[in-house]
Amino acid sequence: LWVPDADIQDGARWSSDLFQYLDQSVIGVICLDPSNSLNRWLQFEAGAIAKSLPPEKIRVLRFGLNQDHIQGPLTQFDSIGTDKTDILSFMELIRTSIEQFTISYMELRANLDINWSNFEGKLAKLDVESIPIQEEVTQPFDFNGENETPVEYLDGVEEKIIQLLFQEIIR
């Protein structure tokens, strides 16, 4: 699991790091929530993923959004929500794409059934749906000299959700 915000070292040439990791990837997951649904940087990263992977290996994972909220280049990828059927489909893509996962489909399904309520409860605590859909963010910083603080984002909620998937469903 590689997340650009957390895994690129300060001062590193982020674009070369990004493309290096993408070249090694077997699945691309674009996490979309109300705070980033119109973000141009996310669109750029989605384009980079699309250059490295075939479309059937890329998913847009929606949190607190429905299919109608997906715009632009992201519409070319399969989109999934956080209901049980979508999560099973997503986990099956991971299971069949990554050699280290040796569990069968039946074991995956059983793990999902056993752990679903716990996962769903933790997902609900993140309360993504209460966040208003943001206007388009063109740059991550305000460069007018008055304020150099980063634009507020969800503090890694997408990474937390992906970690929940692995902790609660694939044990």
Side-chain angles (χ1 to χ4, degrees):
L1 181 62
W2 184 77
V3 179
D5 287 347
D7 295 326
I8 295 177
Q9 298 289 322
D10 289 342
R13 299 191 90 162
W14 63 268
S15 60
S16 60
D17 283 0
L18 175 67
F19 290 112
Q20 175 187 355
Y21 281 102
L22 287 175
D23 286 342
Q24 299 168 11
S25 298
V26 293
I27 299 173
V29 181
I30 301 160
C31 297
L32 203 60
D33 66 49
S35 75
N36 70 6
S37 62
L38 298 175
N39 185 293
R40 286 188 187 176
W41 288 108
L42 185 116
Q43 301 286 337
F44 169 81
E45 290 176 357
I49 291 171
K51 287 183 178 183
S52 299
L53 294 168
E56 65 272 9
K57 296 290 185 175
I58 301 171
R59 294 294 183 277
V60 175
L61 190 53
R62 295 177 280 109
F63 303 102
L65 297 170
N66 62 40
Q67 182 68 36
D68 296 338
H69 290 112
I70 297 178
Q71 298 179 8
L74 296 178
T75 59
Q76 68 184 312
F77 308 118
D78 286 341
S79 162
I80 59 173
T82 55
D83 65 32
K84 193 173 182 180
T85 303
D86 283 350
I87 294 298
L88 177 61
S89 169
F90 177 59
M91 299 307 291
E92 177 63 2
L93 172 67
I94 293 170
R95 186 189 74 79
T96 58
S97 299
I98 299 176
E99 293 175 9
Q100 294 90 336
F101 288 102
T102 58
I103 68 172
S104 70
Y105 176 79
M106 296 305 290
E107 290 170 308
L108 174 65
R109 179 73 190 247
N111 283 345
L112 181 67
D113 289 342
I114 291 167
N115 297 302
W116 180 253
S117 62
N118 194 27
F119 170 74
E120 197 173 34
K122 289 181 179 181
L123 188 62
K125 287 180 185 176
L126 294 174
D127 198 23
V128 176
E129 284 144 8
S130 69
I131 299 163
I133 295 176
Q134 297 295 309
E135 295 299 318
E136 184 172 8
V137 178
T138 57
Q139 295 180 346
F141 294 93
D142 173 11
F143 288 108
N144 66 10
E146 296 174 15
N147 182 5
E148 292 189 8
T149 3
V151 173
E152 290 295 321
Y153 291 105
L154 273 181
D155 295 331
V157 71
E158 295 92 355
E159 186 176 0
K160 291 175 188 173
I161 292 171
I162 296 294
Q163 287 174 347
L164 279 176
L165 285 170
F166 284 95
Q167 291 170 356
E168 297 301 326
I169 296 169
I170 296 182
R171 290 182 179 214

